[in-house]
Amino acid sequence: MKVRAVFTDLDGTLLEPDGSIRSEAMSEIQRLTASGIPVCLVTSKTAREVVGLLARLRLETPAGFENGAGIVDGEGSVVFDPAAIPAAELRLAAARLRLRSGAPLRTLDELDDSELTSLTGLCGSELAKARDRQATVPLFVAPEWDSTLHATLGARPRMRLVRGNRFLHLQGDHDKTTVMKLLLSRLPSREGLVISCGDSPNDLELLTEAQIAVIVPSAAGPSEELVMKIPGAQIAPQPHGRGWAMAVREIVERTTLWR
């Protein structure tokens, strides 16, 4: 059976912790696209960041940004999901959440450039792109506060909290599968297997929606939450981009043999 598309998270999955991309991962992207298999980026990064990455990775397929808030193409044309909430509204909600929970959280906007560089490895103009949030507000707070913050947010309509690699994201009621479905509708092929790759809890829906799920580990190993919730997932044999390339190549070659 042929592969219809490969959907992938970026930070910690396709990209290295410092934001670079290994030659093995870049070569695999080129091999996939040359074979007619689209590679679709679905990330918590901003639309401006994604536009730069599409060019850097030489990809023409639109990509999802800010955890399913919408899709963006290489020209910067954005389509928002109806569930997306403007960042200004989310910032007010974050201030209320901090007050009511007592959690020592700070929004990404409240981190200075040196702190954000230390956390993300980004600097210069890349910092400005990362700060250009349109529909999510990343919260810098220890995971030990997650349950308290979830309980404090409660059943607030239209909002949810999603844990990523470095931040707890406050956002509308959308996830990566929101844009995954939209991106699939724009692909030329209507048949074949969908492969999804991710490394953290905010990739859960993306992974469970695919026929083949690949959990990409960090240097410390795979996400325990993802392993527990997706028992049938394939674990990449190496961390980050090298493991991504190895796992994707093995799956594509194996599925091609089924034909």
Side-chain angles (χ1 to χ4, degrees), residues 97-213:
L97 193 59
R98 173 167 47 204
L99 182 64
R100 293 171 182 171
S101 68
L105 68 85
R106 289 188 291 164
T107 68
L108 183 145
D109 308 282
E110 294 167 331
L111 301 174
D112 63 32
D113 284 356
S114 62
E115 290 174 305
L116 194 53
T117 295
S118 177
L119 283 169
T120 65
L122 301 174
C123 57
S125 62
E126 295 304 311
L127 282 178
K129 294 178 184 178
R131 292 186 183 280
D132 190 15
R133 295 273 154 183
Q134 300 183 70
T136 57
V137 171
L139 309 177
F140 182 56
V141 62
E144 289 76 12
W145 284 94
D146 284 12
S147 58
T148 298
L149 290 165
H150 278 281
T152 303
L153 186 66
R156 185 177 179 86
R158 303 169 50 231
M159 289 189 188
R160 62 187 298 198
L161 289 162
V162 181
R163 172 58 69 176
N165 269 317
R166 304 178 181 95
F167 299 99
L168 183 66
H169 297 266
L170 179 62
Q171 62 187 58
D173 190 17
H174 51 77
D175 58 51
K176 293 185 176 184
T177 61
T178 307
V179 294
M180 181 181 184
K181 294 170 183 174
L182 182 55
L183 290 168
L184 278 171
S185 72
R186 296 188 173 204
L187 298 181
S189 175
R190 301 295 178 183
E191 298 179 351
L193 296 170
V194 173
I195 302 169
S196 285
C197 308
D199 73 309
S200 63
N202 69 333
D203 298 316
L204 176 62
E205 293 89 352
L206 181 71
L207 294 171
T208 54
E209 188 73 16
Q211 282 83 31
I212 301 177

Side-chain angles (χ1 to χ4, degrees), residues 11 16 20-21 41 43 57 78 80 89 123 125 131 141 153 201 204 207 223 234 243 245 250 258:
D11 291 327
E16 302 305 300
S20 64
I21 182 165
L41 310 181
T43 177
L57 301 176
V78 170
F80 284 98
E89 183 178 343
C123 57
S125 62
R131 292 186 183 280
V141 62
L153 186 66
L204 176 62
L207 294 171
S223 161
Q234 178 170 324
E250 187 276 328
W258 295 349

Side-chain angles (χ1 to χ4, degrees), residues 70-101:
I71 64 171
V72 62
D73 63 23
E75 303 301 318
S77 178
V78 170
V79 176
F80 284 98
D81 183 82
I85 298 174
E89 183 178 343
L90 292 170
R91 291 187 188 100
L92 292 175
R96 291 192 294 267
L97 193 59
R98 173 167 47 204
L99 182 64
R100 293 171 182 171
S101 68

Side-chain angles (χ1 to χ4, degrees), residues 8-65:
T8 184
D9 171 58
L10 288 172
D11 291 327
T13 301
L14 178 62
L15 302 180
E16 302 305 300
D18 64 359
S20 64
I21 182 165
R22 295 188 67 96
S23 60
E24 300 97 320
M26 191 68 215
S27 294
E28 185 59 22
I29 290 173
Q30 292 172 345
R31 191 179 76 88
L32 290 166
T33 54
S35 301
I37 300 174
V39 177
C40 302
L41 310 181
V42 186
T43 177
S44 62
K45 288 184 177 295
T46 67
R48 285 180 62 193
E49 289 178 288
V50 171
V51 170
L53 281 161
L54 288 172
R56 178 176 159 197
L57 301 176
R58 287 173 269 179
L59 293 174
E60 297 181 357
T61 307
F65 67 93

